[in-house]
Amino acid sequence: MNAPDTSARTPRPIQALPDQLISQIAAGEVVERPSAVVKELLENALDAGATQVTVRLEEGGVKRIAITDNGRGIPPEQMPLALARHATSKIASLNDLENVGTLGFRGEALASIASVAQVTITSRTADVAHAWEIEGSHLATPTPSSGALGTTIDVKDLYYNTPARRKFLKSEQTEYGHCAEVVRRIALARPDVSFSLTHNGRTVDHWNTSEIARRSAQILGDGFAEARLPVDETIGPLRLHGFIGLPTASKARADGQFFYVNGRFVRDKVLVHAVKAAYQDVLHGDRFPSYVLSLDMDPALVDVNVHPSKIEVRFRDGRAVHQCVFHAVQRALAQTSATSHGSVPSPLPAADSLSTTPVWRGEQTSFGPLLAPDYAPTFSPSPFGSRSADTGSVSTSYAPPRFTAEGGVAQSLENYGAMFRGDERPVPLARNESDMTLPQASSFTVSAAAMAQEEFPLGFALAQLHGIYILAQNAKGLVLVDMHAAHERILYEQLKNALNSRVAGEEMQVQPLLIPITFYADAVEVGTAEEHQETLQALGFDIAVLSPTTLAVRSVPVLLKNADAQTLARDVLRDVREFGGSRVLIERQNELLGTLACHTAVRANRILSLQEMNALLRQMEVTERADQCNHGRPTWVQVEISALDKLFLRGQ
């Protein structure tokens, strides 16, 4: 495209622009579309102390925007100044500009709007007998009018005198959508104010005064209300409060993210990155969390005069703000475990060994027992009995389980019922001749004391379903656990803690292999092992080069001792090569640890004993972020008794 030829233009002298043109140029920055008008007028209403605000729109705000509030109002002698450029009651000196405590302060909004639309202001203060009205511009004279305490600003025919700007507007529904979004943003920041939104004569939204918990539920929906965590932390001069969504309630778009600084909705890279970093090891990269967060701070520590739209800010100490937000959100997410709504129990001491050996041969137990040696549960954690210390045979009190062709466990009902009793002996079945066709078991109920124990919110395992899910019973009803996802999260947190401990100066626990695992490796893998020995050792791996085509794994982290050493070695070499030795421990640590945890976690179709299942439940209860796996999927769900009753039409 050729550049315009300006050589033939007649040179013009430098001259002062007329006020109307100046206002229209300013309007190009402030009044980008109808939603910008709504934003400026709503901010003025809140700055005036309004507790009730009504927004009326016609044709997406292009034909009309009328906003009524019950604030302090404007005295009649000051109404012409309200429409003048660079006139405001909110700042008077440079010191005020550096400590802005209001939403509006530039003194250009009303003048800019009046330059591209027909504006009428009707206002009444508490000390006058009636309202006053001014129309047009600051050159007009206020006239008596009728109206309640507060202010109504009526904006009609936006861009009527600048038709070129009007051509760039979108459809009515699109412009209305932008206006409605602005109202929602501001309503979220001020739950103490009631808002009403009307479009083309129809009331679309109305929110009474409430608290942030209810207002956020009304605007973001029940899905957010049922899957959110409260945040309220004060760190030095900074206070972060609000709600963050659980990773399991993430969205494909970032349209549920609302961040406020001193009550002002902002889009700031520092804040967005801090929240994203806090979610990085509980949420898949292409998913977005929802949140409503407010950061309160000294106005002198933030510059809100960065852009005419006032949606961008600049912090005096961006790093401190980033760390405050990151750690506050991270700590809130760390409580997403089975105990997040109660007191977090102290980790239970692990027993040295289980008396019952896993029956499924060829598999090692991936997680050890966590029940305290002196803990006496209401029922036995396993119905299979104990093995004799002398012979290794199963006690005659119980029959060993039989594994069916489908991979399930066929266990007698007597032994199953014994789980829920404190005794060691199964009770004989009582059967009558008349009902021999029905499966019978001795009557049993779960002890209320056992179910009510706060330290076991996930309850106790009952069975395994399709080799994938654990079924457990707690005080509320049925608990379903995805055993691979749950174990993956547990291992991930353990690996992360071990690596962090090493950074703090402690040694990572490693497991030397009695017989090193050797495997064929290509030249790239061999080169990576030679070049990044320090990084590999920091991760707990000792991978030696035996020849140009052979590597040997001599040791692995203790937490990964049951995994396939060759697969782990190849994976860690791949990640180290891809991300770089130093970066993999800093920037890409979560991805690497997630890979290691996934390969080590218990696999589907692995048959677990009840003791193993209960051990996994106990570990979940003491593991941070145990509500979801590393990719944001839920690890367990609660099915309450009321839901089961409804499913089977009980009580109807």
Side-chain angles (χ1 to χ4, degrees):
M1 183 181 292
N2 296 327
D5 183 11
T6 59
S7 60
R9 292 182 181 176
T10 303
R12 293 178 178 174
I14 299 175
Q15 58 185 343
L17 296 176
D19 287 344
Q20 178 68 9
L21 183 57
I22 292 174
S23 295
Q24 289 177 338
I25 293 173
E29 297 179 339
V30 178
V31 191
E32 181 183 0
R33 63 196 321 161
S35 60
V37 176
V38 173
K39 175 181 179 293
E40 296 290 345
L41 299 185
L42 280 178
E43 289 180 346
N44 284 343
L46 296 178
D47 285 341
T51 59
Q52 296 177 1
V53 179
T54 300
V55 181
R56 298 190 300 275
L57 305 174
E58 293 182 16
E59 296 182 8
V62 178
K63 182 178 181 181
R64 186 185 187 193
I65 300 172
I67 296 183
T68 301
D69 67 69
N70 66 342
R72 291 184 294 271
I74 306 173
E77 65 275 12
Q78 296 182 18
M79 293 181 75
L81 278 175
L83 290 170
R85 296 188 69 240
H86 305 305
T88 179
S89 63
K90 299 167 187 178
I91 59 172
S93 65
L94 179 60
N95 183 65
D96 292 338
L97 184 61
E98 293 177 347
N99 294 271
V100 174
T102 55
L103 297 175
F105 59 90
R106 299 173 65 89
E108 295 183 1
L110 287 176
S112 299
I113 295 169
S115 69
V116 293
Q118 298 175 354
V119 176
T120 301
I121 301 178
T122 305
S123 188
R124 177 184 174 186
T125 58
D127 58 348
V128 297
H130 56 78
W132 291 81
E133 180 180 294
I134 187 172
E135 183 176 354
S137 70
H138 66 287
L139 300 177
T141 301
T143 58
S145 181
S146 60
L149 175 65
T151 302
T152 296
I153 300 182
D154 201 344
V155 180
K156 296 180 180 178
D157 296 326
L158 191 61
Y159 302 127
Y160 77 99
N161 56 357
T162 52
R165 291 293 304 277
R166 193 160 186 166
K167 292 179 181 178
F168 284 93
L169 296 178
K170 304 300 181 182
S171 67
E172 174 183 330
Q173 199 60 31
T174 298
E175 296 300 338
Y176 163 72
H178 286 287
C179 293
E181 180 65 16
V182 167
V183 177
R184 282 193 290 267
R185 290 175 186 169
I186 294 179
L188 266 175
R190 294 296 302 272
D192 58 322
V193 178
S194 68
F195 291 85
S196 182
L197 173 61
T198 300
H199 186 224
N200 292 338
R202 183 176 67 89
T203 299
V204 180
D205 286 312
H206 179 79
W207 304 294
N208 292 321
T209 57
S210 58
E211 68 289 337
I212 184 60
R214 179 172 175 79
R215 179 65 59 85
S216 60
Q218 292 173 327
I219 294 179
L220 272 69
D222 293 338
F224 178 77
E226 294 170 358
R228 65 185 178 185
L229 297 168
V231 177
D232 194 345
E233 285 204 26
T234 300
I235 304 175
L238 308 176
R239 181 195 175 206
L240 183 71
H241 56 99
F243 292 95
I244 59 173
L246 290 172
T248 50
S250 61
K251 306 176 69 175
R253 298 186 300 168
D255 58 354
Q257 300 180 347
F258 298 85
F259 215 117
Y260 302 86
V261 176
N262 291 341
R264 183 191 309 277
F265 176 81
V266 299
R267 287 197 186 100
D268 181 78
K269 294 180 179 179
V270 172
L271 301 176
V272 171
H273 183 272
V275 177
K276 183 179 180 180
Y279 273 91
Q280 65 182 349
D281 63 347
V282 294
L283 198 60
H284 195 272
D286 60 356
R287 302 289 295 178
F288 298 91
S290 298
Y291 53 80
V292 179
L293 291 171
S294 297
L295 182 65
D296 297 339
M297 60 193 308
D298 186 344
L301 300 178
V302 57
D303 183 6
V304 297
N305 194 24
V306 177
H307 191 274
S309 67
K310 297 172 294 188
I311 204 170
E312 300 176 14
V313 295
R314 183 180 295 118
F315 299 105
R316 181 167 296 181
D317 190 348
R319 179 175 176 81
V321 171
H322 183 282
Q323 291 300 97
C324 169
V325 174
F326 169 74
H327 288 297
V329 175
Q330 189 183 54
R331 278 191 286 268
L333 289 172
Q335 299 304 313
T336 55
S337 65
T339 56
S340 60
H341 301 292
S343 58
V344 179
S346 301
L348 296 172
D352 293 334
S353 62
L354 282 177
S355 59
T356 301
T357 303
V359 177
W360 193 253
R361 304 288 184 181
E363 293 277 3
Q364 288 183 306
T365 304
S366 296
F367 29 79
L370 288 185
L371 292 178
D374 57 347
Y375 172 70
T378 304
F379 54 81
S380 170
S382 173
F384 303 152
S386 59
R387 291 180 178 269
S388 169
D390 299 326
T391 64
S393 61
V394 178
S395 170
T396 56
S397 297
Y398 293 97
R402 304 187 310 277
F403 292 90
T404 65
E406 294 76 22
V409 179
Q411 181 64 33
S412 66
L413 292 176
E414 298 97 320
N415 292 337
Y416 182 79
M419 272 200 313
F420 302 92
R421 297 189 302 270
D423 60 334
E424 288 288 331
R425 296 169 301 173
V427 176
L429 301 181
R431 301 194 178 188
N432 297 323
E433 293 291 332
S434 59
D435 57 6
M436 288 294 292
T437 58
L438 297 176
Q440 296 288 315
S442 56
S443 61
F444 59 85
T445 58
V446 179
S447 166
M451 288 295 100
Q453 292 181 77
E454 292 295 333
E455 64 267 32
F456 298 131
L458 289 181
F460 300 92
L462 301 177
Q464 191 176 9
L465 182 64
H466 290 291
I468 301 174
Y469 302 104
I470 294 173
L471 279 63
Q473 178 179 347
N474 65 358
K476 296 180 180 179
L478 178 67
V479 174
L480 297 173
V481 177
D482 183 330
M483 67 182 193
H484 174 76
H487 195 211
E488 183 179 356
R489 166 54 69 181
I490 292 169
L491 287 172
Y492 176 87
E493 293 294 330
Q494 291 174 342
L495 287 168
K496 186 169 64 174
N497 292 336
L499 192 57
N500 291 339
S501 298
R502 188 187 185 282
V503 173
E506 301 178 17
E507 288 296 326
M508 176 179 284
Q509 297 296 316
V510 298
Q511 176 66 58
L513 302 182
L514 183 62
I515 302 177
I517 303 298
T518 60
F519 61 94
Y520 172 81
D522 57 32
V524 175
E525 290 175 325
V526 171
T528 303
E530 289 180 331
E531 182 180 352
H532 298 289
Q533 275 295 314
E534 185 176 345
T535 299
L536 294 171
Q537 290 176 3
L539 293 168
F541 288 90
D542 182 1
I543 304 177
V545 178
L546 299 185
S547 75
T549 58
T550 307
L551 292 177
V553 183
R554 294 174 175 172
S555 67
V556 296
V558 168
L559 294 170
L560 308 179
K561 64 181 181 181
N562 293 325
D564 182 273
Q566 178 179 334
T567 302
L568 280 179
R570 290 189 183 279
D571 286 337
V572 74
L573 288 172
R574 183 197 64 230
D575 286 352
V576 169
R577 180 178 69 250
E578 181 179 351
F579 302 131
S582 58
R583 290 186 63 223
V584 78
L585 293 177
I586 302 173
E587 301 175 23
R588 313 297 297 192
Q589 172 184 320
N590 295 328
E591 289 89 338
L592 174 63
L593 297 184
T595 299
L596 299 179
C598 185
H599 279 292
T600 314
V602 61
R603 296 295 182 180
N605 297 321
R606 160 79 185 282
I607 304 302
L608 304 180
S609 70
L610 284 181
Q611 282 182 309
E612 289 179 301
M613 289 186 251
N614 279 313
L616 181 59
L617 298 180
R618 301 294 78 80
Q619 283 184 309
M620 291 175 64
E621 292 166 347
V622 297
T623 299
E624 293 181 346
R625 305 172 184 86
D627 276 359
Q628 61 280 314
C629 73
N630 311 334
H631 309 297
R633 293 192 299 108
T635 58
W636 68 282
V637 295
Q638 175 79 59
V639 182
E640 298 189 359
I641 287 293
S642 58
L644 294 174
D645 289 343
K646 184 177 181 180
L647 183 64
F648 290 98
L649 306 179
R650 289 180 61 86
Q652 298 186 17

